[in-house]
Amino acid sequence: MVRTLAKISLVLLVIVALPMSFYLVREFSALSKNEEMVERVFSTQLESILYSINQYSENVVQQWSLSVDQPVEPQSELMEGLVDNLFQYNAAVQAVRFIDLESKQQEAIYFNDSIFELSVWPDEEQVEQLQAYLESSYQQIRVDVWHESLLLYFLPRNGQGKQACQLVVEPSTFLMRNLSPIIQKVAQDLFYVSITDSISGQTIYTTGDEGDLSDSWSKASMWYLPGYELGIRLKSKTLEELASERSQRDNYLLMAIGLMVVIGFIFVLVNIRKEMKLAEIKSEFVSNVSHEIRTPLALISMYAETLLLKRVKTEEKQTEYLKTIQQESFRLTGIVNRILNFSRLEKNRIKYRFEKIDLREAIPEVVGTFRTHLDAAGVDCCCEENKEEAWVMADWESLKTMLNNLLDNAIKYSGSEKKIRVRLEHKPKQVWVEVEDNGIGIASKNQKYVFDQFYRVTDGDLAHQAKGSGLGLNLVKRMMKAHGGSVAVRSRLGEGSTFVLKFPRKK
Ligand code: ADP
């Protein structure tokens, strides 16, 4: 059996466990790569959010340029109206100045709140570049830092490259009035967004208290706020935490799968072992039963033949032979009955007729029916007297079968001076029927198995020689269960055993 089991384990190992472990190892290594990828995806997403904020700032600036890039003379009432309109809704714009690039003359200048000196001239090289862009129909807006302000300039489409327009913008107002709403909207409850001075590192704007995770920010420079950096990070966790949390979850899942495979593997092996053991026990049972039946059959046929041939001289001998025939046929009937009962129990075909029985009277009566059998075996058997009534609900036939089995075993598994005591024990909710013998006893390691079907102890000479099917005690166990009770054993190897039938007491 051990070899077959080893073979099956090997096959299972090759078919299931090995491919599964390869798969798990592969998955584990793939997970760390996934972690990197997830981190990269997250950071790309954050960068695209930063890009969208910059894109928004460009839209604002283009809106400003469009509002003054109209087919209107720079120094005209119409332009004044347009610029006034721009100033009214955009507090960040401090001044608008038009310059004629050919004559290098200032054409017009408009101030929002306060008037200041503005004489800075656009860089010629840059102007040439803007002109080239404009020729290919692209209007670029340049930004420079001028004192504390930003100086945006572009070539109006209507000026055909010969005119430049400068906008003086107050950065903090631009930030608070124009960019802050969109930044708040983007950040919501998910992100921290901040704007820092890229040289001093000082934070000039933030959507909240961002904590101390300075290296977990994704950063991008601001298109229209030179020298400033836009930063974003997840509110609750860093990207690493998020990615590793994900892969940790997958790790646990994989570990659970691995564990399940191992448990499944063990489960299959244990079951196969059980089935193999059962098959072995069954084949042993067949040989035991055949053996058990053969002995009485041989005796019956031998004595019957002797009697038929009239070889028996005396009357006593004749009676003795007839008694043996009767005893052996009783034994045969017992064996057949046990097997039949067992098969009926297996198929749930046993019908119990429960009735109210006083065990104080019933037990001596049942034991009395086996008296001839007990006497023939030379057993000193007595039922201890009991004064108290012991009412239970029991099936008379089952009671007989169970006691028969216990007494039979007590005889079978005892040496030469057989002594059996049958007694009642009164417990608060139960009545116990105890059958005690002075036989070979059962080792404690075997006691828990004796009630299993087909189980037999075969250590020791007597146990080995005694014939049996391994069904008797299992039958008792099942019948006691049907009575709502149980059966137990107390035994010491070499000293004897006591089997206890525990009946629920009838009130
Ligand atoms: P069997 O037909 O083998 O007697 P049982 O189910 O009646 O089957 O008993 C199972 C095993 O329990 C027996 O093989 C025997 O080893 C052990 N056993 C049962 N009764 C006794 C007893 N009174 N003393 C010692 N061993 C016993």
Side-chain angles (χ1 to χ4, degrees):
M1 184 174 112
V2 177
R3 272 189 59 188
T4 328
L5 207 65
K7 262 191 217 161
I8 293 174
S9 322
L10 196 75
V11 171
L12 278 179
L13 200 77
V14 172
I15 296 178
V16 185
L18 277 184
M20 196 65 201
S21 20
F22 277 132
Y23 169 75
L24 287 179
V25 169
R26 228 193 60 147
E27 282 298 296
F28 273 121
S29 58
L31 269 182
S32 57
K33 276 186 209 144
N34 282 354
E35 197 177 322
E36 274 170 36
M37 212 171 75
V38 168
E39 214 178 310
R40 233 179 299 140
V41 169
F42 274 130
S43 90
T44 318
Q45 276 184 351
L46 292 189
E47 276 159 23
S48 63
I49 294 174
L50 295 183
Y51 185 87
S52 73
I53 295 174
N54 264 329
Q55 186 67 53
Y56 180 80
S57 72
E58 177 159 299
N59 290 349
V60 173
V61 167
Q62 270 174 355
Q63 210 73 47
W64 292 344
S65 74
L66 259 176
S67 64
V68 289
D69 186 5
Q70 300 293 335
V72 173
E73 279 298 308
Q75 199 155 25
S76 62
E77 260 181 45
L78 276 173
M79 182 53 83
E80 205 179 326
L82 290 175
V83 174
D84 267 354
N85 206 34
L86 174 67
F87 287 157
Q88 195 180 347
Y89 297 106
N90 297 281
V93 185
Q94 297 288 294
V96 178
R97 181 181 178 219
F98 292 93
I99 300 165
D100 186 330
L101 291 169
E102 279 182 334
S103 62
K104 301 215 170 188
Q105 293 285 315
Q106 171 179 299
E107 289 180 305
I109 186 160
Y110 301 95
F111 293 100
N112 193 344
D113 283 340
S114 49
I115 296 168
F116 46 85
E117 170 79 26
L118 175 62
S119 53
V120 62
W121 205 258
D123 182 86
E124 268 186 38
E125 215 175 293
Q126 280 181 5
V127 166
E128 274 171 29
Q129 219 176 43
L130 294 183
Q131 281 170 335
Y133 282 139
L134 200 66
E135 267 167 36
S136 37
S137 305
Y138 170 61
Q139 186 187 48
Q140 203 195 30
I141 302 170
R142 289 247 170 209
V143 60
D144 276 336
V145 179
W146 179 69
H147 301 300
E148 302 281 280
S149 305
L150 302 172
L151 193 63
L152 304 177
Y153 60 95
F154 60 94
L155 308 186
R157 288 177 205 275
N158 291 300
Q160 281 142 17
K162 291 172 192 131
Q163 195 185 44
C165 178
Q166 290 176 317
L167 302 180
V168 179
V169 174
E170 216 283 295
S172 58
T173 321
F174 176 42
L175 188 60
M176 293 317 292
R177 292 276 178 88
N178 300 88
L179 300 187
S180 179
I182 185 76
I183 290 176
Q184 294 284 358
K185 201 169 155 192
V186 163
Q188 289 186 13
D189 291 337
L190 287 174
F191 310 103
Y192 287 125
V193 179
S194 77
I195 294 171
T196 47
D197 188 320
S198 50
I199 296 163
S200 69
Q202 201 189 345
T203 306
I204 58 152
Y205 175 84
T206 174
T207 52
D209 178 17
E210 69 275 11
D212 194 26
L213 296 152
S214 43
D215 49 349
S216 57
W217 290 88
S218 291
K219 291 188 169 175
S221 51
M222 293 200 77
W223 299 348
Y224 291 95
L225 282 171
Y228 291 112
E229 241 179 4
L230 191 60
I232 188 167
R233 89 165 175 78
L234 280 165
K235 249 184 184 169
S236 52
K237 290 178 178 106
T238 64
L239 288 185
E240 291 84 6
E241 277 168 354
L242 208 72
S244 76
E245 191 183 78
R246 239 184 77 107
S247 72
Q248 219 172 35
R249 226 180 304 138
D250 292 351
N251 274 346
Y252 286 142
L253 204 77
L254 282 180
M255 278 196 273
I257 293 174
L259 200 74
M260 268 156 65
V261 170
V262 172
I263 292 173
F265 187 73
I266 294 171
F267 181 76
V268 170
L269 273 191
V270 167
N271 270 299
I272 289 176
R273 218 188 98 128
K274 250 195 203 164
E275 286 300 317
M276 285 170 75
K277 183 102 191 138
L278 200 68
E280 201 176 296
I281 282 174
K282 274 185 181 167
S283 89
E284 226 171 76
F285 163 76
V286 172
S287 92
N288 277 337
V289 167
S290 334
H291 205 75
E292 213 182 346
I293 290 175
R294 204 185 302 147
T295 321
L297 271 182
L299 282 175
I300 290 170
S301 79
M302 190 181 82
Y303 284 120
E305 200 179 318
T306 319
L307 287 170
L308 272 175
L309 291 174
K310 306 217 187 317
R311 282 193 195 143
V312 191
K313 305 273 166 358
T314 61
E315 189 118 328
E316 285 123 53
K317 266 274 180 252
Q318 205 175 1
T319 321
E320 190 192 317
Y321 283 9
L322 282 171
K323 263 189 180 168
T324 315
I325 290 177
Q326 190 197 28
Q327 240 177 41
E328 291 305 313
S329 47
F330 275 156
R331 208 167 121 192
L332 213 52
T333 316
I335 299 165
V336 173
N337 275 347
R338 211 174 310 149
I339 297 170
L340 278 179
N341 270 338
F342 181 78
S343 97
R344 273 197 218 126
L345 267 179
E346 279 280 275
K347 292 172 189 156
N348 276 333
R349 273 212 221 126
I350 279 212
K351 294 268 173 296
Y352 295 96
R353 256 189 286 127
F354 291 107
E355 52 189 311
K356 216 174 144 198
I357 292 178
D358 180 7
L359 289 179
R360 185 183 60 156
E361 283 175 6
I363 297 299
E365 195 181 326
V366 177
V367 174
T369 58
F370 302 121
R371 189 50 71 188
T372 357
H373 184 48
L374 290 162
D375 290 346
V379 184
D380 163 15
C381 175
C382 87
C383 270
E384 289 179 11
E385 287 263 330
N386 221 286
K387 287 191 192 84
E388 237 180 282
E389 293 182 343
W391 289 101
V392 296
M393 287 303 284
D395 170 49
W396 189 255
E397 278 310 310
S398 307
L399 195 65
K400 264 172 74 176
T401 310
M402 290 191 287
L403 272 172
N404 186 11
N405 277 330
L406 295 185
L407 291 172
D408 230 23
N409 280 351
I411 300 170
K412 255 199 301 190
Y413 302 107
S414 294
S416 49
E417 293 203 0
K418 303 176 203 284
K419 215 163 138 184
I420 301 174
R421 294 284 168 269
V422 183
R423 75 178 78 87
L424 283 186
E425 287 282 337
H426 293 269
K427 302 284 167 192
K429 288 188 174 165
Q430 287 179 325
V431 180
W432 289 6
V433 180
E434 297 196 345
V435 179
E436 184 187 342
D437 64 52
N438 61 342
I440 57 171
I442 307 163
S444 49
K445 65 171 174 83
N446 298 326
Q447 285 175 18
K448 56 176 176 293
Y449 302 117
V450 292
F451 299 104
D452 292 351
Q453 59 187 27
F454 308 122
Y455 184 85
R456 305 199 67 228
V457 183
T458 45
D459 320 332
D461 284 348
L462 187 53
H464 193 68
Q465 279 162 19
K467 313 279 176 304
S469 50
L471 293 181
L473 288 182
N474 186 256
L475 204 72
V476 175
K477 183 175 136 180
R478 292 179 186 223
M479 285 183 163
M480 278 314 292
K481 200 172 165 202
H483 280 74
S486 60
V487 57
V489 64
R490 295 193 301 267
S491 184
R492 269 170 172 261
L493 202 60
E495 291 179 18
S497 320
T498 306
F499 282 87
V500 190
L501 304 178
K502 300 178 175 178
F503 288 92
R505 186 185 284 281
K506 172 97 181 108
K507 300 215 172 63

